[in-house]
Amino acid sequence: MSEKKKPMLDVVMDLLVRRGFLVQTAEIYGNGLAGFYDFLPNGIQMRENIKKAWREFFVWSSIDPLIYEIEGAIVNPEEVFIASGHVSSFSDPLVSCSKCNAQLRADHLLEKVVGMKTEGLTTPQIQDAIKKHDVKCTECGGSLAPVEDFNLMLKTDVGPSKNSKRSYLRPETAQSIFCDFKRVFQTMRAQLPFGICQIGNSYRNEISPRQGLIRMRGFTQMEIEFFFDPDEPVHPDFDAVKETRINLITRETQAKEETADDIVEITIGEAMNKGVFPNNIQAYFVGKVFEFYQSIGIPYEALRFRHLLETETPFYSKGNFDLEIKLDMGWKEAVGIAYRTNHDLSTHAKNSGIKLEADVQKANQPLKKVVPHVVEPSFGVERALYSILEHAYRPAIEKGAAKKNDSDREWDWFQIQPHIAPFSAMVYPLMKKPELTKKAIELFKAIKAAGIPVFYDHAGQIGRRYARADEIGTPFCFTIDYQTNEDGTVTIRDRDTTKQIRVPLTDCVPVLQSLVRREKKFFDLGTPIK
Amino acid sequence: MSEKKKPMLDVVMDLLVRRGFLVQTAEIYGNGLAGFYDFLPNGIQMRENIKKAWREFFVWSSIDPLIYEIEGAIVNPEEVFIASGHVSSFSDPLVSCSKCNAQLRADHLLEKVVGMKTEGLTTPQIQDAIKKHDVKCTECGGSLAPVEDFNLMLKTDVGPSKNSKRSYLRPETAQSIFCDFKRVFQTMRAQLPFGICQIGNSYRNEISPRQGLIRMRGFTQMEIEFFFDPDEPVHPDFDAVKETRINLITRETQAKEETADDIVEITIGEAMNKGVFPNNIQAYFVGKVFEFYQSIGIPYEALRFRHLLETETPFYSKGNFDLEIKLDMGWKEAVGIAYRTNHDLSTHAKNSGIKLEADVQKANQPLKKVVPHVVEPSFGVERALYSILEHAYRPAIEKGAAKKNDSDREWDWFQIQPHIAPFSAMVYPLMKKPELTKKAIELFKAIKAAGIPVFYDHAGQIGRRYARADEIGTPFCFTIDYQTNEDGTVTIRDRDTTKQIRVPLTDCVPVLQSLVRREKKFFDLGTPIK
């Protein structure tokens, strides 16, 4: 095997395009707009499932404290991003070739050409290193112009020419949460501690968007700002995560190069006792996030939290932890959990002249006004989606090769969790004949009405339909056949084993529900056919 | 009563801000960004409910033909909008004051100052009319510069400076459906006729955004492109709408000013026979759209379809019908249903050099390639949301005044359909005590798990909680009280009558389901208390 293995990124992205998950935006025009993707039916449904799983895990299950959801506009006026610091300092170092006009990220160029680490370097330091190592343009060998700070926000002007307002496409969803804080607090009659969350699009004008869904210019974030009284930095549900075991990279191990990647296995409770976290709210979210990514299909050993170094942490932050996922290309950040203190609310209050405070009423004490602190877990949706798919990928065996186990197929397939797969089930009539399609459509509608993602397909030979179901990771397929009209049973096919069991048509919805919620296993349903 | 009545728009928008539905984007900065709104917890949930109702009505219930959902990027490169014609001609006439720099929509200015109708006028015609009537700036009386065409797309440049790509925030979701047509057709193995739909944000840089949610710069569209073989312009489900009765304004009645607003009551079948529609696909969607708006809460008599005049219809279109909703401010367009022929696919194919065709296989005939035609129903989500709320608004009676019927309250409330109201139910423990909250939280979670929007509230006196539920249109409230621990029943309160009935705790989820689906009425549940 001297062939160079194709990177998993290319394998998976290629499948996603061919299987109706996504396509480059405006692909028909010269391969489209770099950094943007349109989501097609299978991808859109999987992305929705991730959002729903997240809402269930973090939002709906949280009653006391409550987490309120908002949806702010994508376009915001410059005042918002002046206050947040994005106008002055949300930039990457850009270097341009004086000869061919190529434009490159200066820090990446140094890493590639000189092999040096650039994390935490300032723009002048990067400039000095380029000069010192006499780095040239990698495209044409030309000499490079001085490094500039390239602001990563997409600009747009709102309103007619003479009265237009400089605005930006938001680089994160968080700022509308801070701007709307007072309204949410008042209209929902919130009480500290509480959260405000948001799922929505954000935009970053990356100098070189690459790596498929990993570095996009338009992407989806899920963010929570968890507001609390700094005098009571306590999450009421902390006990629920005390025993949760995580993989952690501490600041201590990172201090030496030879131990920089060493993982400490530790429970949240132990880590809290050792003083790893500034407060138990951040500890709570670290534990919950670690659990969540396992629940959507990332293996325990492919997850780790890294405590960011002081040089990587903004001055106002009292501690940042990044969840990293192990991918073929290396460990990639998937979630950031930052303790941002009251920096954002204070800055917006100062710049807008509007007080952003919460009333705190304690027994036998006068009403107190506080500027709440926040812990902010921030998730990238498309990174999660890609990571799940890479870990769920099962390559085809060679055509005609002997099958050694149930997972061997002549087609590539995805072993995705039942509630995350684009569709939890397919419904097929064996053939497109009225005596079969009528019942099949009824079943399809009953599953849909139960809120389970399901797809109806009557095209082509049944074996081919099962293969197509595998190809997009569908865990269960129901087939209405002629026996259905005789004894009222249908077949349910299991993706992971390709086995089939007959179940009563009238039981299909509850059976599927218990399979998707993993209250039941497939072989609990009965004896496989043949 | 000599007081001038406050316009309903102001009444409703004011309530929406005070009751946690929405707020102007970046409101804390000088009242925010005109034309943009952030949606808060109650508004976001109601908007989601409208989207879900739409998907159920138009997408999930359509199996043969299938309708596939996609989600394209909001930012697209200029090639897309050059092909679609938006770069050259998606503009409004803009006039600027030479003295005070005010910028106004020239056609609206003429309508306001001169009282003339401007629909269909060209920019030079508008210019002539302004000159003829010597129209001055309404802000300062200054003289006006010549009328210019102001393009309504928001521009942004993607990529680093020297290599940036002129792009736009899409003014409609439709264009990504056309650009992705080939991929969807191939990867989903679609067969004509079929639809591709999309729900998402669109942006129009309105010269004067006004009227709350009616003319926004950032808004949500729901669009379907229904693709069909022009040789077979037939919707397989047409019979389902044949008897649907609609209010129609024909081209004939619009020809004379005195009959311009005359409504013809007619069934879709009759209208089809009279040749009102170019084909039964457009007729089908006209019927379905009329049904849909009634199902989400707009009264029959407040709905009408207007057949657009030839001067209002683009050259490539074979007929446009607009659904208009009667509001306090007049009749407002809420949906456009356009027969766009193959104009979009042909233009994108020509400009991109990529063939955008569908294979058609008929019995005993060779495979044929066609460029499909489309009928496009296009819905504005926020306009629907606002219209529902205006029609659902029930004003408070004067404080202390005698109540004449069940709907009389001392607070303004909304009589929204159960599946559209932000929350279909509230769950309350009578008091925040563990012996009550435990069961209340279990009920809340069970309702949530059944996919019904529900809110949990334990703050304040119970009567005040009922009032707050009314204020955001919640149809049903469950209260766990001390009797629950004795006999296992809870109270359910009906918003429309304020009556309460006790039902077994274990029945609450199915009871609520049947009430929301309107399979049951409230008084079917038993005898009201007291």
Side-chain angles (χ1 to χ4, degrees):
Chain A
M1 300 273 282
S2 64
E3 272 181 80
K4 205 180 154 195
K5 212 182 134 205
K6 197 174 168 188
M8 276 294 284
L9 181 77
D10 297 346
V11 172
V12 173
M13 287 302 294
D14 185 47
L15 284 175
L16 296 190
V17 171
R18 286 193 287 117
R19 292 182 183 171
F21 282 76
L22 49 79
V23 65
Q24 189 93 45
T25 296
E27 174 203 38
I28 58 173
Y29 291 103
N31 297 325
L33 192 61
F36 291 89
Y37 287 92
D38 286 4
F39 273 63
L40 301 193
N42 298 326
I44 201 180
Q45 188 64 56
M46 181 166 170
R47 188 163 61 180
E48 283 306 306
N49 296 346
I50 293 171
K51 293 181 193 172
K52 190 181 173 203
W54 185 84
R55 283 194 179 99
E56 281 182 353
F57 199 91
F58 289 100
V59 183
W60 298 343
S61 62
S62 188
I63 287 173
D64 195 5
L66 270 169
I67 300 194
Y68 303 97
E69 186 168 349
I70 70 163
E71 204 174 305
I74 284 165
V75 178
N76 267 258
E78 63 180 346
E79 285 85 349
V80 171
F81 304 113
I82 289 169
S84 70
H86 286 96
V87 167
S88 61
S89 54
F90 188 61
S91 58
D92 276 341
L94 173 70
V95 75
S96 305
C97 174
S98 316
K99 199 171 147 202
C100 76
N101 277 338
Q103 294 185 290
L104 309 160
R105 247 186 88 161
D107 52 344
H108 290 182
L109 183 68
L110 272 179
E111 286 169 20
K112 192 172 154 189
V113 176
V114 184
M116 66 187 279
K117 286 213 169 189
T118 59
E119 199 105 339
L121 290 191
T122 63
T123 304
Q125 288 169 330
I126 291 172
Q127 177 61 58
D128 288 349
I130 286 181
K131 209 167 167 184
K132 180 179 155 201
H133 296 282
D134 195 26
V135 178
K136 300 286 184 194
C137 173
T138 48
E139 305 288 313
C140 77
S143 61
L144 299 169
V147 178
E148 37 179 324
D149 289 318
F150 178 69
N151 191 289
L152 296 180
M153 285 195 292
L154 286 174
K155 282 191 270 297
T156 194
D157 292 316
V158 172
S161 46
K162 288 179 187 165
N163 299 287
S164 70
K165 176 85 205 151
R166 169 54 51 96
S167 301
Y168 295 94
L169 275 63
R170 62 181 180 194
E172 61 179 26
T173 67
Q175 295 308 320
S176 35
I177 296 181
F178 297 120
C179 289
D180 295 342
F181 167 79
K182 195 180 163 187
R183 284 285 180 190
V184 175
F185 182 75
Q186 288 176 343
T187 60
M188 305 309 288
R189 300 159 297 108
Q191 293 184 313
L192 293 181
F194 70 93
I196 304 179
C197 75
Q198 184 167 196
I199 299 182
N201 292 344
S202 295
Y203 296 84
R204 295 183 185 175
N205 195 9
E206 297 285 353
I207 294 168
S208 342
R210 260 175 214 151
Q211 306 177 313
L213 298 180
I214 300 297
R215 197 182 308 141
M216 297 163 76
R217 284 171 169 155
F219 57 101
T220 314
Q221 287 187 307
M222 310 188 283
E223 297 194 303
I224 301 170
E225 302 296 334
F226 191 86
F227 296 93
F228 59 96
D229 180 349
D231 289 345
E232 274 191 56
V234 175
H235 196 291
D237 261 355
F238 176 73
D239 282 354
V241 296
K242 249 166 72 178
E243 303 302 323
T244 300
R245 183 166 292 275
I246 63 165
N247 297 317
L248 182 68
I249 302 195
T250 64
R251 282 190 172 171
E252 289 68 45
T253 63
Q254 291 174 79
K256 292 185 213 158
E257 202 166 338
E258 59 275 26
T259 59
D261 277 349
D262 282 5
I263 279 170
V264 178
E265 267 199 88
I266 193 167
T267 66
I268 295 294
E270 288 162 7
M272 189 68 211
N273 290 340
K274 285 196 176 171
V276 170
F277 303 110
N279 58 53
N280 87 6
I281 293 171
Q282 193 163 28
Y284 171 84
F285 282 110
V286 164
K288 289 298 265 186
V289 164
F290 208 88
E291 289 173 16
F292 177 67
Y293 276 80
Q294 290 177 77
S295 76
I296 59 175
I298 310 294
Y300 175 83
E301 60 277 9
L303 292 168
R304 70 182 193 191
F305 262 105
R306 191 167 72 80
H307 192 173
L308 298 200
L309 302 176
E310 231 161 303
T311 54
E312 302 173 278
T313 309
F315 71 91
Y316 51 79
S317 168
K318 290 205 179 162
N320 283 15
F321 290 80
D322 278 359
L323 180 80
E324 298 179 336
I325 300 182
K326 192 175 188 177
L327 297 173
D328 183 48
M329 67 177 82
W331 289 89
K332 283 283 160 188
E333 181 201 340
V335 183
I337 304 182
Y339 177 16
R340 301 176 61 88
T341 64
N342 65 13
H343 174 73
D344 305 87
L345 286 183
S346 299
T347 316
H348 281 297
K350 190 177 144 219
N351 283 23
S352 69
I354 306 284
K355 282 187 180 165
L356 302 176
E357 300 169 331
D359 300 317
V360 174
Q361 180 73 69
K362 288 180 194 169
N364 308 321
Q365 283 184 29
L367 199 71
K368 168 185 148 199
K369 297 231 178 244
V370 300
V371 181
H373 279 211
V374 293
V375 165
E376 173 195 88
S378 173
F379 303 69
V381 180
E382 286 81 8
R383 283 193 181 191
L385 185 139
Y386 174 80
S387 304
I388 292 166
L389 286 161
E390 188 180 301
H391 281 279
Y393 173 67
R394 305 288 174 264
I397 59 170
E398 269 178 69
K399 260 206 148 64
K403 291 181 191 174
K404 289 176 199 146
N405 59 53
D406 286 339
S407 63
D408 288 349
R409 322 264 157 105
E410 286 184 357
W411 48 88
D412 298 300
W413 61 291
F414 290 107
Q415 195 166 20
I416 315 172
Q417 296 294 323
H419 66 307
I420 300 297
F423 300 98
S424 302
M426 300 270 161
V427 174
Y428 305 141
L430 185 65
M431 278 177 283
K432 195 182 167 180
K433 304 217 164 161
E435 64 268 32
L436 300 175
T437 54
K438 190 168 169 286
K439 285 195 172 124
I441 290 172
E442 277 170 17
L443 176 58
F444 168 79
K445 288 188 175 175
I447 295 172
K448 199 91 196 171
I452 302 173
V454 56
F455 194 80
Y456 181 86
D457 192 357
H458 55 222
Q461 187 248 339
I462 191 76
R464 191 64 207 111
R465 275 184 269 172
Y466 288 141
R468 283 199 303 260
D470 285 351
E471 284 173 350
I472 61 165
T474 316
F476 306 107
C477 298
F478 293 100
T479 302
I480 277 69
D481 55 19
Y482 286 101
Q483 196 178 326
T484 310
N485 291 329
E486 288 161 24
D487 66 5
T489 65
V490 304
T491 63
I492 174 169
R493 174 195 183 263
D494 178 46
R495 174 198 63 200
D496 295 348
T497 60
T498 77
K499 296 284 188 288
Q500 296 179 38
I501 294 175
R502 292 201 79 90
V503 294
L505 178 56
T506 49
D507 288 356
C508 288
V509 174
V511 157
L512 183 60
Q513 264 166 338
S514 59
L515 289 170
V516 171
R517 292 181 190 150
R518 277 167 293 179
E519 297 157 0
K520 249 187 200 158
K521 288 179 182 163
F522 179 70
F523 290 105
D524 295 341
L525 303 182
T527 313
I529 303 167
K530 279 168 231 169
Chain B
M1 299 277 280
S2 63
E3 272 182 77
K4 207 181 155 195
K5 213 182 132 203
K6 198 175 168 188
M8 276 294 285
L9 181 77
D10 298 345
V11 173
V12 173
M13 288 302 293
D14 185 46
L15 284 177
L16 296 189
V17 171
R18 286 193 288 120
R19 292 183 184 170
F21 282 76
L22 49 79
V23 65
Q24 188 93 46
T25 296
E27 174 203 39
I28 59 173
Y29 289 103
N31 297 324
L33 192 61
F36 290 89
Y37 287 92
D38 287 4
F39 273 63
L40 302 194
N42 299 326
I44 200 180
Q45 188 63 57
M46 181 167 171
R47 187 162 62 181
E48 281 308 305
N49 296 346
I50 294 171
K51 293 180 192 171
K52 190 181 173 204
W54 184 84
R55 283 194 179 99
E56 281 182 353
F57 199 92
F58 289 100
V59 183
W60 298 343
S61 62
S62 188
I63 286 172
D64 196 6
L66 270 169
I67 300 195
Y68 303 98
E69 186 168 349
I70 70 164
E71 203 173 306
I74 284 165
V75 178
N76 267 259
E78 62 181 347
E79 285 85 349
V80 171
F81 303 112
I82 289 169
S84 69
H86 286 96
V87 168
S88 63
S89 54
F90 187 62
S91 58
D92 276 340
L94 173 70
V95 74
S96 305
C97 174
S98 315
K99 198 172 146 202
C100 77
N101 276 338
Q103 294 185 291
L104 308 159
R105 246 186 89 162
D107 50 345
H108 289 182
L109 184 66
L110 272 179
E111 286 169 19
K112 191 172 154 188
V113 175
V114 184
M116 66 186 280
K117 285 214 167 188
T118 58
E119 200 105 339
L121 291 191
T122 64
T123 304
Q125 287 168 330
I126 290 171
Q127 176 63 58
D128 287 349
I130 285 181
K131 210 168 167 183
K132 182 179 154 201
H133 296 282
D134 195 26
V135 178
K136 300 288 185 192
C137 173
T138 48
E139 306 287 313
C140 76
S143 59
L144 300 169
V147 178
E148 38 178 326
D149 289 319
F150 178 68
N151 192 288
L152 297 181
M153 285 195 292
L154 285 174
K155 285 191 268 297
T156 194
D157 293 316
V158 173
S161 47
K162 288 179 188 164
N163 298 286
S164 71
K165 176 84 204 151
R166 169 54 50 97
S167 301
Y168 297 94
L169 275 63
R170 63 183 180 193
E172 60 179 28
T173 67
Q175 295 309 318
S176 37
I177 295 181
F178 297 120
C179 289
D180 295 342
F181 167 80
K182 196 179 164 188
R183 284 285 180 189
V184 175
F185 182 75
Q186 288 176 344
T187 59
M188 304 310 288
R189 301 160 297 105
Q191 293 183 313
L192 293 180
F194 70 94
I196 304 179
C197 75
Q198 183 167 198
I199 298 181
N201 292 344
S202 295
Y203 296 85
R204 295 184 184 172
N205 195 9
E206 298 285 353
I207 294 167
S208 342
R210 259 173 216 155
Q211 305 176 312
L213 299 180
I214 299 298
R215 196 181 309 140
M216 296 163 78
R217 283 170 169 156
F219 56 102
T220 313
Q221 287 188 306
M222 310 189 283
E223 296 195 303
I224 301 170
E225 303 296 333
F226 191 85
F227 296 94
F228 59 96
D229 181 349
D231 290 345
E232 276 191 55
V234 175
H235 196 291
D237 262 354
F238 176 73
D239 282 354
V241 296
K242 249 168 68 179
E243 304 301 325
T244 300
R245 184 166 291 275
I246 63 165
N247 297 316
L248 183 67
I249 302 196
T250 64
R251 281 189 174 172
E252 289 70 44
T253 64
Q254 290 175 80
K256 292 184 212 158
E257 201 167 336
E258 59 275 26
T259 61
D261 276 351
D262 282 6
I263 279 169
V264 179
E265 267 201 86
I266 193 168
T267 67
I268 295 294
E270 288 162 7
M272 189 69 210
N273 291 341
K274 286 196 177 171
V276 169
F277 302 111
N279 60 53
N280 86 6
I281 293 171
Q282 194 164 26
Y284 171 84
F285 281 110
V286 165
K288 289 297 265 188
V289 165
F290 209 88
E291 288 174 15
F292 176 68
Y293 276 79
Q294 290 177 77
S295 78
I296 59 176
I298 310 293
Y300 175 82
E301 60 277 8
L303 292 168
R304 70 183 192 190
F305 261 105
R306 191 167 72 82
H307 192 172
L308 298 200
L309 302 176
E310 232 163 301
T311 52
E312 300 173 279
T313 310
F315 71 92
Y316 51 79
S317 168
K318 291 204 178 162
N320 283 16
F321 291 80
D322 278 359
L323 180 80
E324 298 179 336
I325 300 181
K326 192 176 187 177
L327 296 173
D328 183 49
M329 67 177 81
W331 289 90
K332 282 284 158 187
E333 181 200 339
V335 182
I337 304 182
Y339 177 15
R340 301 177 63 89
T341 66
N342 65 14
H343 174 73
D344 305 270
L345 286 183
S346 298
T347 315
H348 281 298
K350 190 177 144 220
N351 283 23
S352 69
I354 306 286
K355 282 186 181 167
L356 301 176
E357 299 169 332
D359 299 319
V360 174
Q361 180 71 70
K362 289 180 192 169
N364 308 321
Q365 283 184 30
L367 199 72
K368 171 184 145 196
K369 298 232 177 242
V370 299
V371 181
H373 279 210
V374 293
V375 165
E376 173 195 270
S378 174
F379 304 68
V381 180
E382 286 81 8
R383 282 192 182 193
L385 185 140
Y386 175 78
S387 304
I388 292 166
L389 285 161
E390 188 179 301
H391 281 278
Y393 174 67
R394 304 290 174 264
I397 58 169
E398 270 178 68
K399 260 210 149 60
K403 290 182 192 173
K404 288 175 197 147
N405 59 54
D406 286 339
S407 61
D408 288 350
R409 322 264 156 106
E410 287 185 355
W411 47 89
D412 298 300
W413 61 290
F414 289 107
Q415 195 165 20
I416 315 173
Q417 297 294 322
H419 66 308
I420 300 296
F423 300 98
S424 301
M426 299 270 159
V427 174
Y428 305 142
L430 184 64
M431 278 176 280
K432 195 181 168 182
K433 304 217 164 161
E435 63 269 32
L436 300 175
T437 54
K438 189 168 171 287
K439 284 193 173 129
I441 289 173
E442 276 170 19
L443 176 58
F444 168 79
K445 288 189 175 174
I447 294 172
K448 199 89 197 172
I452 302 173
V454 56
F455 194 78
Y456 180 86
D457 191 357
H458 55 222
Q461 187 248 342
I462 191 77
R464 191 64 207 113
R465 276 184 267 171
Y466 288 143
R468 284 198 302 258
D470 285 351
E471 284 174 349
I472 62 167
T474 315
F476 306 107
C477 299
F478 293 101
T479 302
I480 278 69
D481 55 20
Y482 287 101
Q483 194 177 328
T484 310
N485 291 329
E486 288 161 25
D487 66 4
T489 65
V490 304
T491 63
I492 173 169
R493 175 198 184 258
D494 178 45
R495 174 198 63 200
D496 294 349
T497 61
T498 75
K499 295 283 189 290
Q500 296 180 41
I501 294 175
R502 291 201 80 92
V503 295
L505 178 56
T506 48
D507 287 356
C508 288
V509 174
V511 157
L512 183 61
Q513 264 165 338
S514 59
L515 288 170
V516 171
R517 292 180 190 151
R518 276 167 293 179
E519 297 156 2
K520 250 188 199 154
K521 288 178 182 161
F522 180 69
F523 290 105
D524 295 343
L525 302 183
T527 313
I529 303 169
K530 278 166 233 170

